[in-house]
Amino acid sequence: MASKRIAPSVLAADFANLQRDVEMINKSDADWFHIDIMDGVFVPNISFGMPVLRDIVKHATKTIDVHLMIVDPDRYIKTFADLGSNILTVHYEACTHLHRTLQAIKAEGMKAGVAINPHTNVSLLEDVINDIDLVCIMSVNPGFGGQSFIENTYKKVKQLREIIVRNNASTLIEIDGGVTNKNAKQLIDAGADVLVAGSFVFKSTNPNQTIKELKEIINT
Ligand code: DX5
Ligand code: ZN
């Protein structure tokens, strides 16, 4: 069994000390950088855009996992590839031609991810599961860090794991929103592979230590 991953969400970092926080993640036990891009249309918030991502990538030494919470993501696939994204995740709810979008992401040399909102049933992904490298199950409504975890997520993780096994797919399951040391183990036991954690890491007194604790919880 491959080791389970932690992806700190840079959204919760201190943007006035971004290089410091990026270097903290570099040195920590974290696996990926989770980067939230919000457009103020698909979600009711605007995070940051290309210039900030460019500067994060300049310092980051780990996988760049970009979560696009934007309408019409096809317009920016090449841009995010050129910026250095390794995984590009689009929202199921924002893609009219999801299969085409996934192929376009892979054609740019990135891994293709699909995020689903809390109201979206995992069964809607069955016909494209073999084309998806990562499914990001939103465990909060996207748009803001620091929200409470939605308990129905465990059921969705189990259902998605069944779909992946049934189709002999190698898709990773990522959980995004409200992840803490209280739900991490149960999420992994339900079938998750990657946990995103924003506030729980960055609002803690010792983020490096918090990442280490999360990694230990999910890999024991
Ligand atoms: C929410 C974002 C999340 C967020 C998670 O829209 O997609 O990645 O940063 O933050 P926490 O861990 O604070 O819920
Ligand atoms: Zn996210």
Side-chain angles (χ1 to χ4, degrees):
M1 176 70 72
S3 84
K4 305 295 182 178
R5 300 176 174 98
I6 293 292
S9 174
V10 175
L11 185 66
D14 177 353
F15 292 120
N17 289 287
L18 197 47
Q19 183 176 348
R20 180 200 66 189
D21 284 357
V22 168
E23 284 169 358
M24 182 279 293
I25 296 175
N26 285 343
K27 291 196 195 102
S28 77
D29 289 343
D31 300 278
W32 297 352
F33 283 82
H34 184 81
I35 310 286
D36 290 307
I37 307 285
M38 306 178 185
D39 67 355
V41 179
F42 181 72
V43 288
N45 194 14
I46 299 174
S47 55
F48 52 82
M50 289 77 173
V52 174
L53 176 56
R54 181 175 299 117
D55 287 350
I56 292 170
V57 170
K58 239 188 254 171
H59 300 287
T61 57
K62 297 178 178 179
T63 295
I64 305 291
D65 169 36
V66 175
H67 176 194
L68 294 184
M69 283 159 275
I70 66 173
V71 295
D72 207 359
D74 300 71
R75 292 169 65 199
Y76 297 105
I77 291 171
K78 186 166 184 334
T79 304
F80 281 100
D82 292 345
L83 282 166
S85 313
N86 303 113
I87 304 165
L88 192 66
T89 296
V90 295
H91 262 266
Y92 173 86
E93 301 84 6
C95 295
T96 310
H97 301 287
L98 181 62
H99 182 270
R100 181 184 289 154
T101 302
L102 294 170
Q103 308 313 319
I105 292 171
K106 292 192 217 175
E108 291 295 339
M110 298 177 287
K111 299 278 187 201
V114 178
I116 54 170
N117 282 339
H119 72 271
T120 301
N121 197 286
V122 293
S123 64
L124 294 164
L125 299 177
E126 178 138 22
D127 286 343
V128 278
I129 197 69
N130 289 102
D131 299 292
I132 306 176
D133 295 305
L134 173 143
V135 172
C136 175
I137 297 182
M138 293 307 303
S139 39
V140 297
N141 283 292
F144 302 92
Q147 304 181 80
S148 328
F149 180 81
I150 297 172
E151 297 285 324
N152 186 53
T153 307
Y154 300 117
K155 186 182 88 190
K156 294 177 76 162
V157 178
K158 286 183 197 142
Q159 289 170 344
L160 180 58
R161 178 54 63 197
E162 280 170 23
I163 291 172
I164 291 169
V165 169
R166 183 157 67 237
N167 288 277
N168 202 16
S170 49
T171 316
L172 295 176
I173 302 178
E174 178 178 69
I175 309 301
D176 188 8
V179 169
T180 69
N181 58 353
K182 301 279 183 292
N183 51 29
K185 183 68 180 154
Q186 204 176 334
L187 285 167
I188 296 299
D189 289 346
D193 301 292
V194 186
L195 304 184
V196 174
S199 313
F200 186 70
V201 166
F202 284 99
K203 308 298 176 217
S204 70
T205 47
N206 185 343
N208 184 296
Q209 182 62 24
T210 303
I211 292 168
K212 190 172 176 341
E213 282 165 18
L214 282 175
K215 276 283 282 199
E216 280 168 8
I217 290 173
I218 67 175
N219 283 300
T220 50

